[in-house]
Amino acid sequence: MSRTLNWQLAGAEVVLHGDCALFYPAESALLVADTHFGKAALMRRRGLAVPSGQSRDDLYRLTNLLEEFNPQRLIVLGDFFHHRPMPGEPFLDMFPGWLAQHRAVSVEAVVGNHDRHAAGVDIGLRWHDHLDLGPFRLRHEPEQVPGRHVLAGHLHPVLTLQVAADRLRAPVFWFRDQVSVLPSFGALTGGWDLPRTAEGRTVLVVEGELFQGPD
């Protein structure tokens, strides 16, 4: 077990990280998916007693990843926001200062389905419909693109393993021939249960450590 795992993908060397991130050294790019910033604030406005601090904690996790990999680019594979942020939300107050602390890094995002609700919100990000990086097409939805290996998010894949009475449900990186899906990064994002019969390979994230999934 390890917090990082070197991985071959579409003929390229990448590094998987136990905080649900992927680093592509050839392009000095750090990728995460589905941050869903602002979800906790929305849930509290709707009367759900969820704790505050999700945005602060997730930004802190991103800071640790930037310090570990020292990338030139940080790219979120869609659903940067959970909803259209409201004035005075904690994330809007925190993010400009966080961005200023990391001005040497180009912070970018692919537009996800949740981000479309935030059209016109200018917080200093570079937005893309999609990005081509080496052999990869970076997009939100995991759909095939001819001539490219797609890196995507959107699904929040998790895998459930059970032995007798012991049960483990963990986020996974899910790798297939032409499309790979990163686990969701945001702390409150939940997950979609990957069928055990699903094709491809998985790497489980368990308490920050990486384990190759069952064949």
Side-chain angles (χ1 to χ4, degrees), residues 34 75-81 108-121 125-131 138-142 151-154:
D34 300 286
I75 304 169
V76 180
L77 301 180
D79 287 357
F80 181 87
F81 287 116
E108 309 168 45
V110 173
V111 176
N113 54 298
H114 281 262
D115 298 315
R116 297 185 181 102
H117 302 302
V121 177
L125 283 181
R126 293 178 59 191
W127 291 96
H128 307 275
D129 289 331
H130 65 265
L131 276 171
L138 310 186
R139 53 175 294 142
H140 182 56
E141 290 84 3
L151 294 177
H154 187 56

Side-chain angles (χ1 to χ4, degrees), residues 1 19-20 31 43 72 77-78 80 85 106 116 123 136 139 144 152 160 166-167 169 191 202 210:
M1 63 183 180
D19 212 353
C20 298
L31 312 181
M43 295 172 74
Q72 295 177 5
L77 301 180
F80 181 87
S106 176
R116 297 185 181 102
I123 57 170
F136 303 116
R139 53 175 294 142
Q144 293 184 9
T160 299
D166 295 320
R167 184 174 180 270
R169 188 172 188 263
T202 56
L210 297 173

Side-chain angles (χ1 to χ4, degrees), residues 66-203:
L66 293 177
E67 291 176 351
E68 182 167 350
F69 289 105
N70 193 29
Q72 295 177 5
R73 303 172 77 175
L74 168 64
I75 304 169
V76 180
L77 301 180
D79 287 357
F80 181 87
F81 287 116
H82 184 70
H83 66 104
R84 183 177 181 84
M86 302 291 289
E89 282 192 9
F91 175 74
L92 292 182
D93 292 338
M94 288 183 286
F95 189 70
W98 183 90
L99 202 60
Q101 293 173 6
H102 303 288
R103 56 173 56 92
V105 181
S106 176
V107 182
E108 309 168 45
V110 173
V111 176
N113 54 298
H114 281 262
D115 298 315
R116 297 185 181 102
H117 302 302
V121 177
D122 183 8
I123 57 170
L125 283 181
R126 293 178 59 191
W127 291 96
H128 307 275
D129 289 331
H130 65 265
L131 276 171
D132 289 336
L133 213 61
F136 303 116
R137 168 70 56 92
L138 310 186
R139 53 175 294 142
H140 182 56
E141 290 84 3
E143 299 172 353
Q144 293 184 9
V145 173
R148 292 281 178 178
H149 186 101
V150 170
L151 294 177
H154 187 56
L155 296 181
H156 309 184
V158 299
L159 190 65
T160 299
L161 304 177
Q162 187 162 355
V163 177
D166 295 320
R167 184 174 180 270
L168 171 68
R169 188 172 188 263
V172 295
F173 295 86
W174 181 27
F175 301 104
R176 290 173 287 166
D177 286 341
Q178 294 178 280
V179 180
S180 295
V181 183
L182 273 64
S184 60
F185 185 83
L188 294 178
T189 51
W192 169 69
D193 283 290
L194 189 65
R196 289 294 302 272
T197 56
E199 64 177 11
R201 303 175 66 188
T202 56
V203 173

Side-chain angles (χ1 to χ4, degrees), residues 11-30:
E13 296 279 350
V14 300
V15 181
L16 312 183
H17 192 278
D19 212 353
C20 298
L22 181 150
F23 181 58
Y24 180 27
E27 297 287 344
S28 190
L30 179 69

